[in-house]
Amino acid sequence: MRRARLGFWLFLAPVLAWLVLLIVLPHLDLLVMSLRSGSGSRASWTLQNYANFFGEPIYWLTFVRTAMYSVITTAITFLLAMPVAFYIAKVARVRLQGFLLTLLLLPFWVSELVRIYGWMILLRESGVVNFALLKLGLADAPVEMLYNDATMIMGLVYTSMLFMVVPLVSAVESLDDSLIEAAHDLGAGRAAIWWRIILPHCKPGITSGAIVVFMLCLGNYLTPNLMGGKNSLWFTEQIYNQFIASFNWNQGAAFGFLLLALSSAIIWIGLKITGQKLGEVAS
Amino acid sequence: MENDLSVSRLVKRFGEFTAVDDVSFDVPAGSFFSILGPSGCGKTTMLRMVAGFEEPTSGTIAIRGRDMARVAPNRRPVNLVFQHLALFPMMNVARNIAFGLERRGTPRAEIARRVERTLERVGLPGFGSKEIAQLSGGQKQRVAIARCLVLEPSVLLLDEPLGALDLKLREQMKVELKKLQAKVGTTFIYITHDQSEALVMSDAVAVMNKGRFEQVGSPQELYGDPATPFVAGFVGDSNIWEGTVRECSGQRAVIGTDEGFAFEARRRGACAPGSAVRLFLRPEAMRIEPADASGLNTFRATVKALLFDGANSRLLTVTPAEHELLVTLPQNRRFDHIRPGQEITLGWHPDSGVCFRREGGDA
Ligand SMILES: Nc1ncnc2c1ncn2[C@@H]1O[C@H](COP(=O)(O)OP(=O)(O)OP(=O)(O)O)[C@@H](O)[C@H]1O
Ligand SMILES: [Mg+2]
């Protein structure tokens, strides 16, 4: 009994150490920093850093914009990933399945930076697409395709696909084919089968995929910056600016904390609306 | 009488392999029709064609006189109870049963009424709000049937629905299914590889082998008058002798068995002296120590073991040539003196044995 206890603590110790050292301590430090102003001996406790966020429209509007676009990206990713996942899990033959999943994984072999530069090479004014358009006579002058919101969202969707497809594939795979046939036999058409059988069955997979994609988008820095350009106005840029450009670590820490709190709140509301619990989704 | 289902010259090929091979049959309205056959003989394929999940290679299927070619499964007046039931785990019992009615756009109040009435019919009143995972095996069974019956299909198809249940429950559900069918009057087409299920429940049974129907008839006909050696061997237990025909007379033949007995038995098919035949005899057709042996085939055998199983008790006997035979042992205490090792006389009436011509190698 005692030895079992000892073993339990021995295994738990590294996990606890990791949690405390890399997650809890830095966040505590951030929290303390966000609640202070100035530095050194002139430092004092204050809520001013948080008040700045709500008082200055550019800050909270940037956050709202970031959250909205993250939700839109999540929705688009889901709409694209669901048929792909269904095809991989139910329609494709076993050998093709592995090949398709590898194909999805392949872009992640290279770093995000290289992936985005790949897009930029394709889309910039002197890029491949424009070259083709001009050669084919479809455009008279090069078209600027980078640095707008649509391109930015496309880049985010591209980066997020895998994280949506993988949980969806395993969700669809666990669906018994005979349930689909039974629904068909009982008079259900295509729409009713999707709506009443496939989607309810995949709900936990959809939710976990959506949470991951949403959080990745919200916290993404490279894609909005490089593909959205100067006017991408992503919230992570505000945090970066405070830390690096303005050297205002207290303000940056407050923004970091607000990002954590507000995104958690959005996910909590999402789970409430769809009537789910985080534990069920994770299992 | 009107036929609910009429199948004619149905063929299904998967590539080179023929799963269903030129099958024709009719099922009269309101009857309980079983398809009995060993695993892999094409039963499920057959049923899936009737339900519309599989396209026949050739042949026609008509339900209540309407041709079903190119009619989608959701537009056919038949419903299928799946081998593993396929209840929807994301819905409770009532929603499962309401599913088909909702698809038809039946008004809500009407749905609620019919769901409750159907639950009562299958003996589960008040179970509507239970989740599927909370039900026992037998209850799930009945929900699966209720889900189809509520739609009042012309024909209900059942694909080995008792396969997943344990033996005791299977025995019980057999009787309940039969009673349910009699009560609702829907035509049932029931697939099974268990001959006792088919014999107990059905008005008519089709015995299927390698994609073909060997014989269609009442359970009594199949058991008492099998048309082919496969049916004789598959339906019920049989003792088998190999032999050759010595004489033919009317419906009977005298057969010399390979171990040297001469028996008279009924014959099926053409009779030619000298042709090789196989003789089938039910265990209960043999009488132990018959008082009046005139007109019977008799022989001596040694008791090897007593297989006591209540009303189904048997003797395992061997002939001098070491041929094992099962003999039903009536439990009327007359034969309590029989012990292993004892030699006894066995007799049987020529009409209870049936012989078939043996085709090259098989059968
Ligand atoms: N989609 C298919 N493609 C190729 N062969 C198939 C297909 N479906 C069934 N078969 C073959 O057809 C034959 C009959 O299959 P079927 O499922 O109808 O058997 P069954 O009589 O229902 O057997 P069981 O009692 O084991 O369920 C089998 O040999 C099977 O391998
Ligand atoms: Mg089957």
Side-chain angles (χ1 to χ4, degrees):
Chain A
M1 187 67 208
R2 278 187 57 109
R3 297 201 36 183
R5 271 276 170 77
L6 188 69
F8 174 72
W9 285 110
L10 269 177
F11 275 113
L12 197 62
V15 179
L16 279 178
W18 169 71
L19 268 175
V20 169
L21 286 176
L22 287 168
I23 309 271
V24 178
L25 273 185
H27 275 88
L28 277 179
D29 192 41
L30 270 182
L31 182 62
V32 169
M33 211 189 293
S34 73
L35 289 168
R36 293 173 79 83
S37 72
S39 57
S41 54
R42 286 180 293 120
S44 62
W45 295 101
T46 175
L47 281 174
Q48 188 56 43
N49 296 321
Y50 289 91
N52 284 344
F53 174 81
F54 294 102
E56 192 72 58
I58 184 73
Y59 293 149
W60 63 261
L61 279 177
T62 304
F63 181 82
V64 169
R65 183 185 140 87
T66 308
M68 290 258 290
Y69 273 150
S70 297
V71 170
I72 290 171
T73 305
T74 309
I76 294 175
T77 312
F78 166 69
L79 290 179
L80 291 176
M82 194 69 222
V84 172
F86 189 81
Y87 183 84
I88 292 178
K90 289 288 177 214
V91 183
R93 301 216 188 98
V94 178
R95 283 186 50 196
L96 189 60
Q97 256 175 22
F99 174 72
L100 289 174
L101 275 175
T102 315
L103 218 58
L104 273 170
L105 204 68
L106 219 54
F108 289 78
W109 244 255
V110 297
S111 86
E112 191 181 4
L113 198 62
V114 177
R115 251 180 291 146
I116 292 165
Y117 274 115
W119 274 115
M120 293 177 81
I121 288 168
L122 278 179
L123 297 178
R124 68 186 167 174
E125 277 184 60
S126 56
V128 177
V129 174
N130 268 315
F131 181 76
L133 284 178
L134 289 175
K135 274 282 171 223
L136 292 171
L138 291 171
D140 302 328
V143 186
E144 177 61 282
M145 280 175 278
L146 281 171
Y147 314 126
N148 60 51
D149 291 353
T151 310
M152 180 181 76
I153 287 186
M154 187 203 67
L156 285 171
V157 168
Y158 174 71
T159 309
S160 310
M161 268 307 262
L162 182 74
F163 300 97
M164 188 64 98
V165 170
V166 168
L168 286 185
V169 164
S170 63
V172 176
E173 243 167 15
S174 68
L175 176 66
D176 185 355
D177 288 357
S178 64
L179 289 189
I180 297 176
E181 286 189 339
H184 201 32
D185 183 65
L186 292 168
R190 218 168 258 268
I193 291 174
W194 271 97
W195 201 243
R196 299 292 304 277
I197 309 294
I198 300 175
L199 290 181
H201 173 86
C202 298
K203 209 157 122 182
I206 295 171
T207 312
S208 60
I211 289 178
V212 171
V213 169
F214 177 74
M215 291 305 264
L216 281 176
C217 281
L218 213 55
N220 199 326
Y221 179 77
L222 275 174
T223 307
N225 243 311
L226 293 177
M227 295 186 79
K230 278 282 161 281
N231 44 12
S232 69
L233 286 176
W234 211 248
F235 194 66
T236 46
E237 284 167 45
Q238 302 284 3
I239 301 177
Y240 177 87
N241 284 342
Q242 293 301 330
F243 274 110
I244 306 301
S246 319
F247 272 116
N248 190 346
W249 281 48
N250 307 89
Q251 188 62 61
F255 282 177
F257 239 84
L258 281 164
L259 180 64
L260 179 69
L262 290 173
S263 56
S264 304
I266 292 171
I267 285 171
W268 182 79
I269 291 167
L271 287 173
K272 273 278 163 256
I273 290 173
T274 55
Q276 295 180 87
K277 294 202 178 71
L278 196 59
E280 289 169 12
V281 172
S283 65
Chain B
M1 202 192 312
E2 191 200 350
N3 288 327
D4 261 353
L5 176 67
S6 204
V7 169
S8 142
R9 314 221 51 180
L10 198 62
V11 176
K12 178 70 191 179
R13 290 200 193 88
F14 295 110
E16 290 291 287
F17 179 78
T18 308
V20 173
D21 189 3
D22 197 10
V23 169
S24 304
F25 64 98
D26 294 305
V27 183
S31 65
F32 197 123
F33 185 88
S34 290
I35 300 174
L36 171 67
S39 187
C41 71
K43 306 183 295 291
T44 299
T45 308
M46 172 97 188
L47 213 59
R48 288 173 62 82
M49 283 193 283
V50 176
F53 292 116
E54 215 80 70
E55 189 78 22
T57 308
S58 69
T60 57
I61 298 168
I63 296 166
R64 295 232 168 122
R66 199 158 72 88
D67 185 25
M68 285 292 124
R70 282 177 299 284
V71 178
N74 54 344
R75 309 221 173 277
R76 294 193 181 201
V78 296
N79 288 110
L80 176 58
V81 177
F82 285 74
Q83 196 156 2
H84 299 286
L85 306 182
L87 293 172
F88 305 131
M90 58 290 263
M91 305 175 201
N92 66 18
V93 170
R95 299 296 306 277
N96 261 280
I97 299 176
F99 187 86
L101 292 174
E102 284 169 5
R103 302 282 77 72
R104 290 181 181 178
T106 312
R108 280 221 178 156
E110 165 95 6
I111 291 180
R113 217 161 39 75
R114 281 171 70 175
V115 166
E116 195 44 49
R117 200 179 60 205
T118 311
L119 276 172
E120 267 166 37
R121 262 189 182 174
V122 298
L124 295 172
F127 271 63
S129 59
K130 290 220 177 190
E131 293 300 323
I132 297 305
Q134 296 172 326
L135 301 179
S136 74
Q139 288 167 344
K140 280 186 192 156
Q141 196 68 61
R142 281 179 276 181
V143 172
I145 293 169
R147 187 172 73 171
C148 294
L149 280 183
V150 77
L151 296 173
E152 293 169 356
S154 305
V155 178
L156 183 66
L157 310 171
L158 302 102
D159 188 357
E160 299 193 32
L162 306 187
L165 303 182
D166 61 59
L167 195 67
K168 193 93 184 167
L169 196 54
R170 218 148 66 193
E171 293 298 315
Q172 192 186 329
M173 285 302 295
K174 250 194 302 208
V175 182
E176 283 199 24
L177 261 180
K178 176 73 195 166
K179 284 198 288 197
L180 184 69
Q181 194 269 339
K183 194 162 68 175
V184 298
T186 306
T187 305
F188 276 35
I189 295 184
Y190 187 95
I191 277 192
T192 181
H193 61 248
D194 180 319
Q195 42 132 338
S196 107
E197 278 176 24
L199 296 183
V200 168
M201 293 192 278
S202 318
D203 298 314
V205 181
V207 180
M208 194 170 183
N209 182 33
K210 295 181 185 157
R212 291 176 159 276
F213 275 8
E214 297 261 339
Q215 185 177 6
V216 184
S218 71
Q220 291 82 352
E221 277 167 13
L222 293 182
Y223 191 82
D225 190 16
T228 67
F230 177 82
V231 177
F234 191 74
V235 179
D237 294 323
S238 282
N239 295 302
I240 298 169
W241 278 282
E242 313 286 348
T244 45
V245 176
R246 286 194 191 156
E247 277 171 47
C248 301
S249 60
Q251 282 308 301
R252 291 191 185 168
V254 177
I255 293 141
T257 70
D258 290 354
E259 55 185 308
F261 296 127
F263 291 142
E264 195 175 6
R266 252 179 333 132
R267 63 180 177 81
R268 270 279 191 171
C271 180
S275 62
V277 289
R278 182 170 283 175
L279 172 60
F280 292 85
L281 183 65
R282 303 281 181 203
E284 69 272 20
M286 282 194 265
R287 286 192 244 153
I288 303 166
E289 306 286 1
D292 176 14
S294 62
L296 299 185
N297 298 302
T298 57
F299 61 99
R300 305 277 292 168
T302 310
V303 177
K304 202 170 167 190
L306 253 157
L307 311 174
F308 184 78
D309 182 17
N312 196 22
S313 298
R314 281 148 181 215
L315 289 177
L316 180 62
T317 63
V318 283
T319 62
E322 291 294 320
H323 183 186
E324 290 192 349
L325 300 168
L326 283 171
V327 181
T328 296
L329 183 64
Q331 289 302 300
N332 51 14
R333 317 227 61 161
R334 247 187 72 202
F335 303 109
D336 281 3
H337 62 273
I338 293 180
R339 292 276 167 273
Q342 213 169 318
E343 208 182 40
I344 55 173
T345 303
L346 296 169
W348 54 277
H349 193 270
D351 277 343
S352 47
V354 59
C355 65
F356 296 91
R357 191 178 190 140
R358 199 154 32 133
E359 280 120 36
D362 75 326

